[in-house]
Amino acid sequence: MATLFRFSLRLLPVSAAVTCRSTRFPVSRPDSSFSLNRNLYHFSSSSSLKTKAGWLLGLGDNNKKKKVDLPDIVAAGDPVLHEKAREVDPEEIGSERIQKIIDDMVKVMRLAPGVGLAAPQIGVPLRIIVLEDTREYISYAPKEETFAQNRRPFDLTVMVNPELKASSDKKALFFEGCLSVDGFRAVVERYLEVVVTGYDRKGKRIQVNASGWQARILQHECDHLDGNLYVDKMIPRTFRIVDNLDLPLAEGCPKLGPQ
C-alpha cells in the first residue's frame, strides 16, 4: 500500500505477498534521466526530489508514463523518502495545487498498477496517501493467498494528514515490497486492525476502520509519511531478491501469517 508479479507480490501491501510461485512478469526499469517532480507543483523543499523509480510495481511498460505528463516514482536514497512529510493546511486541501497532486497520485498508482501511494513517492513531502484494491487486482493472486491475507476489494480512498492507530493487538507477518526498493522483498510484521483518521480530498474529516490487507496497505503508506520504508521494519534475515521468493525462509525465521 506499490509490477504486480501477481498482485500479491508486488502489491505489497501490494504490498506484500505471502509467496511467489511460478508466474513472473517483466519489471520496468528506471531510465538514467532524472526529473524534478516539485516543478510540476511549484513546490520547494530541502530535499533533492530527484526521481527515477517507483513503489508499487506495474504490469505495464514504464514507457507509457512518458506519454503522459505525470511524475516519476522516487527511488530509495532520495531524501524525500527518508524525511518526515509535512502536514497540509486543511484550508489548502481544496486548492488547485493540492487537487493536482492528488489527481496525479491516483493516476500514477493506477498506471503502475498498484494499490497504494504516498505523496513522498512522487517527490512531494506532504502527508497525503491514496489507496485502492480491486477485484481485478485480487484475481491475479491465488485464492489461498488472498484468504490468508484477508484481502478484500475496497474503493479509492484519499487521505490527507492521516493519523493511524492500531485497534487490536493482533499482528501478522507477510512479505512486502516497494518499487522504491525495486527487485527485493522482506517479511514485515503489521497490525491486523487499524483505525485511520484524517481529511478526504474535499477537506471533510473521515475515519477508516480497516483490517487484513487494507490495514497493511494503510500502515505501509503511513510509514512513507514518516520517512520509513518497509526495509526499516523488515525481519532482516527474510530479505531477498524477487527471484528467490520461492525459497523457504531461513531456519529460525518466524512463520508467515497471523501471529
Side-chain angles (χ1 to χ4, degrees):
M1 277 220 253
T3 313
L4 302 170
F5 261 4
R6 288 211 330 212
F7 274 43
S8 60
L9 285 186
R10 302 219 36 161
L11 269 162
L12 308 177
V14 173
S15 290
V18 179
T19 59
C20 174
R21 294 183 173 76
S22 58
T23 306
R24 291 284 189 273
F25 292 102
V27 182
S28 298
R29 299 295 179 186
D31 56 34
S32 59
S33 63
F34 288 89
S35 64
L36 292 175
N37 292 341
R38 60 184 171 183
N39 291 339
L40 296 174
Y41 313 109
H42 308 290
F43 195 88
S44 62
S45 168
S46 60
S47 299
S48 66
L49 303 189
K50 292 181 179 178
T51 63
K52 70 168 186 177
W55 116 257
L56 290 176
L57 310 168
L59 287 170
D61 185 343
N62 275 357
N63 288 330
K64 293 179 180 179
K65 295 183 180 180
K66 298 177 182 178
K67 301 177 182 178
V68 185
D69 186 19
L70 290 175
D72 295 324
I73 303 179
V74 177
D78 191 302
V80 74
L81 286 177
H82 305 283
E83 300 170 348
K84 189 171 183 177
R86 302 199 294 270
E87 288 195 354
V88 178
D89 183 343
E91 297 297 320
E92 193 187 358
I93 294 176
S95 69
E96 182 178 352
R97 183 181 72 125
I98 297 301
Q99 291 299 309
K100 175 172 174 50
I101 290 171
I102 293 172
D103 287 341
D104 285 354
M105 288 175 64
V106 173
K107 292 174 183 177
V108 170
M109 176 184 69
R110 288 174 171 172
L111 189 62
V115 295
L117 196 74
Q121 291 184 273
I122 61 167
V124 178
L126 293 177
R127 301 184 76 81
I128 306 173
I129 62 173
V130 298
L131 54 152
E132 176 183 53
D133 203 0
T134 69
R135 294 184 185 281
E136 178 186 359
Y137 292 175
I138 295 172
S139 70
Y140 285 88
K143 290 183 178 180
E144 62 270 21
E145 289 186 6
T146 57
F147 179 80
Q149 297 162 350
N150 189 17
R151 187 175 173 192
R152 303 177 302 276
F154 58 86
D155 295 333
L156 174 66
T157 302
V158 176
M159 299 198 78
V160 181
N161 299 342
E163 296 181 6
L164 182 148
K165 294 182 180 180
S167 53
S168 167
D169 292 332
K170 297 179 181 178
K171 297 181 180 181
L173 290 164
F174 289 114
F175 274 102
E176 289 191 22
C178 181
L179 261 185
S180 294
V181 191
D182 193 19
F184 299 91
R185 296 290 182 272
V187 173
V188 180
E189 184 175 56
R190 301 283 191 187
Y191 287 105
L192 284 171
E193 297 176 323
V194 299
V195 56
V196 186
T197 57
Y199 296 91
D200 66 11
R201 69 177 303 165
K202 296 180 179 180
K204 178 182 177 181
R205 291 289 297 179
I206 58 172
Q207 176 174 305
V208 176
N209 297 290
S211 61
W213 211 245
Q214 184 182 17
R216 179 170 289 264
I217 296 170
L218 282 163
Q219 291 169 85
H220 184 114
E221 299 306 329
C222 286
D223 275 354
H224 275 298
L225 304 183
D226 290 328
N228 295 316
L229 300 177
Y230 81 93
V231 293
D232 296 315
K233 296 189 173 183
M234 69 181 181
I235 297 175
R237 287 188 296 165
T238 66
F239 187 66
R240 57 188 60 199
I241 62 173
V242 168
D243 287 343
N244 283 346
L245 272 171
D246 289 330
L247 300 180
L249 293 174
E251 184 176 351
C253 289
K255 294 182 179 180
L256 300 182
Q259 301 303 294

